[in-house]
Amino acid sequence: MRQTRKRLGNLLIEEGLITAEQLEAALKDKDPNQKLGEALLQRGYLTEQQLIEVLEYQLGIPHVNLFQYSFDTSLFSLISKETARRNLIIPLKREGNKLYVAMANPMDFIVIDDLRLSTGFQIEPTIATKDEILRTINKYYDVDDGLDELMDELPQNDRGQSDNITDLDSPIVRLVNQILSNAVIQRASDIHIDPQETKVIVRYRIDGVLKVERVLPKNMQSVLIARIKIISNLDITEHRIPQDGRIKLNLDFHPVDLRVSTLPTVYGEKIVMRLLDMGSTLNDLNKLGFNALNLKRFNEMIEKPTGIVLITGPTGSGKSSTLYAALNKLNSDEVNIITVEDPVEYQLEGINQVQVNQNVGMTFAAGLRSILRQDPNIIMVGEIRDTETVEVAIRASLTGHLVLSTLHTNDSIGTVTRLLDMGVEPFLLAASLTGIVSQRLVRKVCRDCAEVQEASKREVEIFAKRGMKIDKITRGKGCPSCNMTGYKGRIAIHEVLVINDEMRRVMMNGESFQKMKDIAIKNKTIFLIDDGLLKVKQGLSTTEEVLRVAIPE
């Protein structure tokens, strides 16, 4: 008798991977054509690895790990790169008349039939994650022959370089596309192209940490840089001054937006490309990792009709994402929101965004002044860099506007001292400042290889110092899904300082930093280190990560 197959949703609930409520929410909101598994992945309720393990059990199809698989590269000629990419498949091995193929969706019988007809083999499907399949395609298809071809072409092609750089089939174009698409697959936030004395190094910043992706020979430097300059509309004849540009591309049916910056160094121009992720999680405050109390306080701050709310932290600590999420929450037809940014990173619908242009005198301060004549309710200033901008921002908040901005400081209380140092009058600052959010990003423990371990003696001491207990710590042991790092993705830790009347009095009287700190402690402010350690307790990050970005006192 044929055994009836359990439905995927019920299996996932039985395994304790999702709750019935999560299943219901995913079923209710998902697209009619979207598969349940995809909808659950999109919401972050489970990881691809967990889904595959359950599918393996449900479908009885084996699951294969591609990370250190020894591929038979001669089989790659059977399936073209386009077919492999479009259908997310990769040939593994052949036995007699059987061809084993790794597929992201092993239930796609149309693809299996097409493969059987085009290759003449009996197709045996296995399951692999989408990320691993894409990584393998990028790694094995046409990378090396492209480089060899390029090396052959380079010597004689130095003068006729321009056709080579713009011809879409030329090896250099393929190489650049590959560097970009690899970065997208690995979820890199930046691509660094570093010219050195004898070579060119390509590095990716993944989850805040740089890693070398590949090393290229020195004689490829000029064509590589020229190609990147062409697609980002920069002057390819200018090598002596820094330039900034932007690239909008479609890579593997996926829109990618990159900000490009060049810098002349001793060994040639260094290029850094920042990948702007157009993901929707940016726009949701609840997904930024705020602690419940911090989220409540932050919401109260931005819902006030006037005042200044500052988000502080070093470069790359996710300040813009938090600002955009706040604007998205406040965005409605009843309010006029205007931003002045340098540069405008993400275009938001229904919000008027102004780009700073120093060359024509359009500075933050000048932009802010003209915005005030545009009848705004909410103003967002990309960054406060000088006294003039602070003064205009304060004036704007005192005349009935809500002003959101960012500042580079180490913690929330230090921000007040910094603003006073910039020459702001204490009474103006006290009257206009509503709150300060200090923020950092820490890497999240990879959910696929997370293991619970005993906390070390040192960790117990660190927690005890902050008045907390800890006995178990979650760490990732490293798996293909996280590139053997034990971390995948990042989460923000916050310190939300509410400026109340007591705090204002201290500012007006010019009292000490310590006095402000005592008031903050009395108001149950969760400091950066505390929020980080709470995230460690929840198993989201590790103590090392928190101590990397927050200084214990």
Side-chain angles (χ1 to χ4, degrees):
M1 193 181 110
R2 188 171 171 275
Q3 189 189 355
T4 53
R5 270 221 316 261
K6 283 193 176 175
R7 302 184 66 167
L8 177 64
N10 299 341
L11 266 175
L12 289 168
I13 293 173
E14 266 175 40
E15 293 288 322
L17 294 172
I18 61 169
T19 62
E21 293 75 43
Q22 288 175 329
L23 175 64
E24 213 168 295
L27 285 168
K28 199 171 78 187
D29 299 345
K30 80 177 180 74
D31 242 318
N33 303 328
Q34 195 182 29
K35 293 192 186 64
L36 173 64
E38 281 174 21
L40 291 167
L41 285 177
Q42 206 176 338
R43 284 175 179 67
Y45 291 156
L46 78 166
T47 69
E48 212 174 345
Q49 199 62 40
Q50 291 168 333
L51 177 65
I52 277 184
E53 280 162 16
V54 172
L55 281 175
E56 179 177 15
Y57 171 71
Q58 189 203 25
L59 307 172
I61 293 174
H63 142 234
V64 64
N65 191 339
L66 303 180
F67 189 64
Q68 283 165 329
Y69 193 89
S70 50
F71 288 92
D72 178 353
T73 44
S74 63
L75 297 176
F76 289 169
S77 55
L78 293 173
I79 299 174
S80 74
K81 184 179 180 182
E82 277 57 51
T83 311
R85 253 184 206 290
R86 197 174 49 248
N87 301 315
L88 292 172
I89 53 179
I90 196 99
L92 296 172
K93 60 178 181 186
R94 57 178 274 205
E95 282 176 7
N97 70 337
K98 284 183 181 173
L99 178 66
Y100 287 82
V101 179
M103 304 177 71
N105 175 14
M107 299 305 283
D108 197 333
F109 298 118
I110 297 169
V111 172
I112 294 175
D113 270 356
D114 285 350
L115 279 180
R116 197 184 69 236
L117 292 170
S118 64
T119 62
F121 287 102
Q122 212 37 53
I123 303 299
E124 288 287 333
T126 58
I127 318 178
T129 66
K130 181 180 165 185
D131 274 0
E132 283 189 30
I133 291 177
L134 282 172
R135 214 171 280 176
T136 309
I137 293 172
N138 265 16
K139 188 171 168 186
Y140 287 98
Y141 275 96
D142 87 7
V143 49
D144 299 325
D145 52 318
L147 279 184
D148 296 340
E149 226 178 295
L150 189 58
M151 299 319 298
D152 296 342
E153 285 179 35
L154 275 179
Q156 61 272 36
N157 215 350
D158 239 20
R159 282 184 301 283
Q161 213 184 63
S162 54
D163 352 314
N164 183 27
I165 297 175
T166 49
D167 172 15
L168 291 180
D169 279 335
S170 78
I172 185 66
V173 172
R174 290 211 307 270
L175 176 69
V176 170
N177 287 351
Q178 204 175 10
I179 289 173
L180 297 179
S181 62
N182 261 345
V184 172
I185 290 168
Q186 296 189 38
R187 307 178 332 279
S189 58
D190 302 82
I191 305 170
H192 289 237
I193 293 172
D194 297 331
Q196 307 211 329
E197 193 170 4
T198 56
K199 56 188 183 238
V200 180
I201 295 180
V202 179
R203 294 187 293 170
Y204 291 164
R205 188 179 290 283
I206 300 170
D207 292 338
V209 180
L210 275 170
K211 78 174 211 1
V212 174
E213 171 65 13
R214 58 173 61 163
V215 177
L216 300 171
K218 183 72 174 173
N219 57 346
M220 285 176 65
Q221 181 177 318
S222 53
V223 272
L224 180 65
I225 288 171
R227 172 63 192 162
I228 293 170
K229 282 184 167 181
I230 282 178
I231 54 178
S232 34
N233 289 326
L234 299 177
D235 181 353
I236 99 171
T237 58
E238 181 55 79
H239 309 290
R240 297 158 305 173
I241 56 169
Q243 298 186 64
D244 289 310
R246 205 165 182 151
I247 306 176
K248 272 191 157 67
L249 282 179
N250 247 336
L251 280 177
D252 310 329
F253 328 106
H254 179 84
V256 180
D257 201 356
L258 297 116
R259 227 169 62 205
V260 182
S261 156
T262 73
L263 182 75
T265 68
V266 183
Y267 298 121
E269 285 172 287
K270 173 177 165 67
I271 293 187
V272 175
M273 295 181 267
R274 160 74 52 95
L275 280 91
L276 302 176
D277 175 21
M278 296 307 170
S280 54
T281 49
L282 263 181
N283 307 331
D284 191 348
L285 267 181
N286 302 320
K287 290 186 182 159
L288 293 179
F290 271 102
N291 171 303
L293 173 67
N294 281 344
L295 183 61
K296 178 172 165 282
R297 288 181 170 178
F298 184 57
N299 277 328
E300 283 166 6
M301 282 179 199
I302 61 174
E303 277 158 9
K304 289 192 173 156
T306 63
I308 295 181
V309 176
L310 291 175
I311 297 178
T312 72
T315 311
S317 56
K319 299 188 297 292
S320 305
S321 299
T322 306
L323 271 185
Y324 281 124
L327 287 181
N328 214 47
K329 186 176 194 302
L330 299 168
N331 192 3
S332 73
D333 293 341
E334 287 86 60
V335 290
N336 177 19
I337 302 179
I338 307 182
T339 75
V340 51
E341 304 168 59
D342 180 23
V344 172
E345 284 191 25
Y346 300 97
Q347 276 117 16
L348 299 176
E349 210 171 318
I351 290 179
N352 312 289
Q353 293 170 284
V354 178
Q355 168 84 44
V356 165
N357 186 344
Q358 304 283 357
N359 303 340
V360 293
M362 176 63 165
T363 59
F364 277 120
L368 245 176
R369 281 200 190 89
S370 41
I371 283 175
L372 289 173
R373 294 192 280 276
Q374 291 278 325
D375 180 32
N377 300 87
I378 298 166
I379 300 167
M380 189 265 263
V381 186
E383 193 185 328
I384 289 181
R385 292 180 187 166
D386 50 40
T387 312
E388 193 184 3
T389 314
V390 184
E391 283 168 355
V392 185
I394 286 176
R395 207 169 314 142
S397 77
L398 292 174
T399 50
H401 305 94
L402 173 66
V403 181
L404 303 174
S405 189
T406 70
L407 193 67
H408 289 273
T409 57
N410 288 335
D411 58 5
S412 53
I413 300 173
T415 307
V416 176
T417 329
R418 170 82 199 280
L419 289 166
L420 293 170
D421 286 346
M422 282 170 106
V424 179
E425 293 291 348
F427 68 91
L428 283 177
L429 188 60
S432 58
L433 202 56
T434 306
I436 301 163
V437 178
S438 186
Q439 174 172 324
R440 299 286 187 284
L441 292 177
V442 291
R443 291 186 290 170
K444 273 161 67 174
V445 172
C446 169
R447 283 162 63 179
D448 288 327
C449 59
E451 287 183 327
V452 177
Q453 304 175 351
E454 288 292 323
S456 70
K457 193 162 162 245
R458 172 93 180 100
E459 282 172 326
V460 174
E461 279 169 19
I462 292 168
F463 273 81
K465 249 189 201 160
R466 308 297 303 175
M468 293 184 222
K469 273 200 179 79
I470 185 87
D471 44 9
K472 295 274 190 282
I473 295 269
T474 309
R475 274 200 176 72
K477 63 175 186 287
C479 67
S481 165
C482 60
N483 250 337
M484 306 316 276
T485 58
Y487 296 103
K488 188 171 184 183
R490 287 191 289 176
I491 191 166
I493 60 173
H494 303 92
E495 177 173 306
V496 178
L497 183 72
V498 179
I499 306 290
N500 59 8
D501 293 340
E502 210 177 339
M503 202 74 103
R504 291 196 172 93
R505 254 196 313 281
V506 169
M507 278 190 220
M508 303 262 284
N509 300 339
E511 289 179 51
S512 71
F513 182 89
Q514 192 52 48
K515 188 79 194 286
M516 289 182 75
K517 191 151 193 190
D518 296 341
I519 296 171
I521 292 169
K522 198 171 92 183
N523 290 343
K524 298 193 167 54
T525 301
I526 301 172
F527 291 101
L528 265 178
I529 181 94
D530 299 331
D531 192 30
L533 294 179
L534 285 171
K535 299 258 190 321
V536 175
K537 259 185 108 109
Q538 291 169 326
L540 295 171
S541 191
T542 61
T543 324
E544 299 85 43
E545 272 300 294
V546 173
L547 295 181
R548 189 170 62 87
V549 295
I551 309 146
E553 291 145 33

